Amino acid sequence: DTEVTQTPKHLVMGMTNKKSLKCEQHMGHRAMYWYKQKAKKPPELMFVYSYEKLSINESVPSRFSPECPNSSLLNLHLHALQPEDSALYLCASSQIADRARAFFGQGTRLTVV
Amino acid sequence: QQQVKQSPQSLIVQKGGISIINCAYENTAFDYFPWYQQFPGKGPALLIAIRPDVSEKKEGRFTISFNKSAKQFSLHIMDSQPGDSATYFCAASGYSGAGSYQLTFGKGTKLSVIP
């Protein structure tokens, strides 16, 4: 199994809503990542978890709150988002010792209205 | 700031031709250079990668050429096919502290292969 599964595939939320994005992998990877990708742009790193601990937070606003409940799951909790937060949110995972070989999920297309 | 510069921004190639995408980096601490392929509406998929102690790596129709002294690397797609039409991102991996490594992406090249 070389898949990273993200749910939901699409999400429309209002600016006052609270929602969560979910990511799951069963490859035994101990590094997991959240990226944000705007149209025609490269993925931008948001958060890195290593061994279920947050190791990098790329100055992401607090309206995005990551959580890593166990080594297979990664969540991104969303609250009070802005329309400019609309983007494709990608989850990825990798072996700690092979971090450039990252496997990406298909992403969640988020629209904030 | 770590950067990876990628060119061209877009590329149109005839079927059967060679597609060439170039990248340059600044940080000599980068130690792994992957290429990702992304189709519309999908996440990026790892295509091929190279370490800086190797000058060339080939996998099928895809070849990475690496010039460590010039801090440049490139992707060659031989016998390009319409199914290769996608956005290609070069990237560089380096240690970012606290036991973590970070991928730095180029801005991407949109490849269109026309029949």
Side-chain angles (χ1 to χ4, degrees), chain B residues 9-64:
Chain B
Q9 191 172 0
S10 62
L11 182 61
I12 299 174
V13 173
Q14 287 240 292
K15 179 182 175 182
I18 302 173
S19 304
I20 301 174
I21 304 170
N22 300 300
C23 286
Y25 64 97
E26 298 173 353
N27 189 342
T28 55
F30 287 140
D31 60 1
Y32 202 57
F33 299 87
W35 286 87
Y36 285 85
Q37 178 189 56
Q38 186 174 26
F39 293 104
K42 306 290 186 183
L46 180 65
L47 193 61
I48 186 173
I50 197 168
R51 296 192 184 279
D53 53 351
V54 176
S55 61
E56 185 174 283
K57 183 174 182 180
K58 184 176 181 179
E59 289 184 2
R61 295 185 294 110
F62 300 92
T63 300
I64 300 179

Side-chain angles (χ1 to χ4, degrees), chain A residues 11 13 15 21 36-38 46 60-64 76 78-89 108-113:
Chain A
L11 178 63
M13 60 184 290
M15 290 188 284
L21 308 184
K36 173 183 177 179
Q37 187 177 28
K38 292 282 221 179
M46 300 175 71
V60 179
S62 59
R63 58 185 183 268
F64 296 91
L76 186 63
L78 314 172
H79 174 56
L81 295 194
Q82 304 296 311
E84 59 265 27
D85 296 322
S86 299
L88 182 68
Y89 287 85
T108 294
R109 174 70 63 188
L110 174 68
T111 303
V112 182
V113 297

Side-chain angles (χ1 to χ4, degrees), chain A residues 9-111:
Chain A
K9 285 188 169 49
H10 301 275
L11 178 63
V12 179
M13 60 184 290
M15 290 188 284
T16 58
N17 290 161
K18 285 185 181 181
K19 296 287 185 183
S20 296
L21 308 184
K22 297 185 184 302
C23 174
E24 189 168 6
Q25 57 89 14
H26 296 287
M27 294 178 278
H29 291 168
R30 301 304 296 275
M32 296 187 76
Y33 314 82
W34 280 114
Y35 285 86
K36 173 183 177 179
Q37 187 177 28
K38 292 282 221 179
K40 300 184 179 181
K41 298 289 186 183
E44 293 177 37
L45 184 65
M46 300 175 71
F47 302 103
V48 179
Y49 274 84
S50 300
Y51 299 108
E52 296 86 68
K53 289 188 175 7
L54 183 64
S55 57
I56 293 179
N57 175 341
E58 290 287 347
S59 303
V60 179
S62 59
R63 58 185 183 268
F64 296 91
S65 175
E67 179 196 20
C68 190
N70 60 53
S71 60
S72 299
L73 294 174
L74 187 66
N75 298 321
L76 186 63
H77 303 296
L78 314 172
H79 174 56
L81 295 194
Q82 304 296 311
E84 59 265 27
D85 296 322
S86 299
L88 182 68
Y89 287 85
L90 295 161
C91 173
S93 71
S94 72
Q95 298 280 8
I96 295 287
D98 197 8
R99 63 276 174 195
R101 193 171 291 275
F103 290 79
F104 283 81
Q106 296 215 9
T108 294
R109 174 70 63 188
L110 174 68
T111 303

